[in-house]
Amino acid sequence: MRQKTGNVLFFTGLTIELLILLADKSALTNPVEGRLFQLTFLIFAVKVCMTRYTVKEWAIIALFEILGVISYLVTGRNEIIRIVTMIAACRDTGERAIFSYMFKVVLTGCLLIISLSVSGVLGAVKLTGIFRGDVEETRYCLGMGHPNSLHCMFFMLVLLFLYLYGKKIRWYGYIPLFLLNFGVFFLTGSKTGMMVTAFAVAAALVLACSERLRREKFIYGISAFLLMCCAAVAWLAAALSERILFHEGIRKFDRLLSDRIFNLYYDSASHAGTLPTWRWLGVPENEYYFDLGWVRLFYWYGILPACVFILVLLLLIRELYREKEYMGIVLLSALFIYTLVEAHIVSVYLARDYSLFMIGARFGPMFGADKGKKGYFFQAPAMLLRGGVS
């Protein structure tokens, strides 16, 4: 009964987070967004109190919550506290059940937003402006506010579909995904969304068709390598943004990113996101929005929290290798690449980042903390002192 109640609480909190996410993508204005975040935090916190963890898991939760509190005191941002609580609350809910529910809710929400836009009730169907270079053109957003947002939501839904059903469908079942991707690109003109979605579908197809390849260690190593490359590119972008005009090679690479590295220095008076604005634990002033997701991670939350998160992602990759969960590695790799260009998942909207739920389903084994006696929240202090519970 306690576990069933806990699951109801978790999915209630998740539903609210998903509705907040969908409202943000639509033309709606949400005046109580902050209060809803507080509500979901409380719901997830109650779920944590109703869940049994080992003494080591309680210690890990406490350690990361302390990091979140320090971050909040230094930067005024409460995302790390919320993230740690939501991750801990994922226990005993079932990863596939979470992703299946998210897929259904987000797909329904996106179709509703599109329907309201096309019918003229809410949101613009298309936008006309200068999206790239000096050419004025018309692109479709279908109620999502921006064409890139439309392709972004399609990409995120494809990732969930691949993770849930990619192992079950035959090779020809991937063809409609490729065709849909190019169809959405025809509407949005989003090269980033189109290419990263194509990468995810192609990688899933290759691994689904090759049993030998998906068991190879280097496949998972590639994902870890991509992660470290993304962190390195973020540092280079922040360090060289001011002088990018003097580095022809990086300038050519930046043109592929639609001048995002160049704009990092020249788009704001404070040169937000450049290396001089990075701090070990962040500062309240670091709140400017820009597209480079990995740079935003370091800029918003600080070097230390960002490095801790990257380390946790490496542990997650190791755990996926142990499980031979190749669709999980496809999902992560696609998110790593996409976040290099866009900052969709580095935000206050926790339900955008699928990796958080993957960590939540595995954080005990990831840290080698899932063995031993378990206890509830009211037993945690004694457990941490004694190292167990009877």
Side-chain angles (χ1 to χ4, degrees), residues 7-52:
N7 285 343
V8 170
L9 285 170
F10 178 84
F11 282 102
T12 299
L14 179 60
T15 301
I16 297 172
E17 286 283 351
L18 291 172
L19 293 177
I20 296 171
L21 182 158
L22 290 167
D24 175 69
K25 287 298 180 183
S26 73
L28 290 173
T29 300
N30 185 358
V32 294
E33 185 176 87
R35 293 300 182 188
L36 290 176
F37 286 145
Q38 293 173 348
L39 176 61
T40 57
F41 166 73
L42 289 174
I43 292 173
F44 290 138
V46 173
K47 167 60 170 65
V48 171
C49 293
M50 299 179 66
T51 306
R52 297 174 67 210

Side-chain angles (χ1 to χ4, degrees), residues 51-58 91-92 364-365 369-380 383 387-390:
T51 306
R52 297 174 67 210
Y53 304 92
T54 67
V55 60
K56 291 182 180 179
E57 288 172 336
W58 277 119
R91 169 63 63 82
D92 299 334
D370 58 328
K371 304 299 182 183
K373 297 179 180 179
K374 297 181 178 180
Y376 295 106
F377 174 74
F378 64 89
Q379 297 169 314
M383 292 174 66
V389 65
S390 58

Side-chain angles (χ1 to χ4, degrees), residues 261-306:
I261 298 177
F262 176 85
N263 293 336
L264 197 64
Y265 182 85
Y266 294 98
D267 261 11
S268 66
S270 62
H271 313 303
T274 57
L275 205 57
T277 65
W278 289 17
R279 298 291 184 271
W280 282 105
L281 287 170
V283 290
E285 295 77 23
N286 285 7
E287 58 182 7
Y288 194 77
Y289 283 78
F290 46 81
D291 289 327
L292 297 171
W294 289 105
V295 177
R296 187 193 287 187
L297 181 69
F298 285 92
Y299 168 74
W300 270 11
Y301 302 107
I303 298 171
L304 180 60

Side-chain angles (χ1 to χ4, degrees), residues 54-67:
T54 67
V55 60
K56 291 182 180 179
E57 288 172 336
W58 277 119
I60 291 168
I61 293 170
L63 183 65
F64 280 100
E65 291 287 17
I66 290 171
L67 176 62

Side-chain angles (χ1 to χ4, degrees), residues 17-132:
E17 286 283 351
L18 291 172
L19 293 177
I20 296 171
L21 182 158
L22 290 167
D24 175 69
K25 287 298 180 183
S26 73
L28 290 173
T29 300
N30 185 358
V32 294
E33 185 176 87
R35 293 300 182 188
L36 290 176
F37 286 145
Q38 293 173 348
L39 176 61
T40 57
F41 166 73
L42 289 174
I43 292 173
F44 290 138
V46 173
K47 167 60 170 65
V48 171
C49 293
M50 299 179 66
T51 306
R52 297 174 67 210
Y53 304 92
T54 67
V55 60
K56 291 182 180 179
E57 288 172 336
W58 277 119
I60 291 168
I61 293 170
L63 183 65
F64 280 100
E65 291 287 17
I66 290 171
L67 176 62
V69 170
I70 293 173
S71 175
Y72 174 70
L73 294 175
V74 173
T75 67
R77 293 186 168 275
N78 60 15
E79 284 94 278
I80 295 178
I81 299 175
R82 292 171 51 221
I83 286 171
V84 175
T85 306
M86 187 183 76
I87 286 175
C90 288
R91 169 63 63 82
D92 299 334
T93 55
E95 181 185 44
R96 295 192 67 82
I98 293 173
F99 280 155
S100 178
Y101 183 75
M102 292 177 68
F103 179 74
K104 294 172 184 176
V105 172
V106 175
L107 177 60
T108 302
C110 287
L111 291 176
L112 179 60
I113 292 172
I114 292 171
S115 300
L116 292 174
S117 171
V118 172
S119 62
V121 176
L122 180 69
V125 175
K126 56 187 178 181
L127 294 177
T128 300
I130 299 175
F131 296 96
R132 186 180 294 111

Side-chain angles (χ1 to χ4, degrees), residues 129-262:
I130 299 175
F131 296 96
R132 186 180 294 111
D134 297 323
V135 180
E136 185 177 80
E137 55 185 317
T138 297
R139 297 184 180 183
Y140 289 83
C141 58
L142 301 182
M144 301 287 182
H146 194 280
N148 288 352
S149 296
L150 174 59
H151 213 128
C152 172
M153 294 307 293
F154 174 74
F155 164 66
M156 299 300 284
L157 283 169
V158 168
L159 290 186
L160 286 177
F161 178 85
L162 291 173
Y163 192 77
L164 291 169
Y165 309 111
K167 297 178 182 178
K168 301 177 182 179
I169 59 178
R170 302 285 231 166
W171 66 267
Y172 48 80
Y174 287 86
I175 296 176
L177 293 178
F178 280 110
L179 296 178
L180 276 173
N181 183 34
F182 287 107
V184 175
F185 172 68
F186 177 77
L187 295 174
T188 66
S190 175
K191 292 183 179 179
T192 300
M194 183 272 291
M195 289 189 292
V196 181
T197 304
F199 163 81
V201 176
L205 173 60
V206 170
L207 292 178
C209 293
S210 176
E211 183 177 354
R212 183 188 66 82
L213 189 60
R214 61 181 179 246
R215 294 182 179 275
E216 292 290 342
K217 191 174 184 178
F218 83 90
I219 292 296
Y220 301 84
I222 289 174
S223 184
F225 178 72
L226 276 174
L227 173 60
M228 300 311 296
C229 284
C230 288
V233 171
W235 184 88
L236 286 173
L240 300 178
S241 180
E242 178 184 3
R243 298 179 54 81
I244 191 172
L245 296 177
F246 302 99
H247 299 271
E248 186 58 31
I250 298 177
R251 183 63 181 144
K252 289 180 180 179
F253 174 70
D254 189 36
R255 291 193 184 101
L256 298 176
L257 305 181
S258 301
D259 296 321
R260 281 170 166 81
I261 298 177
F262 176 85

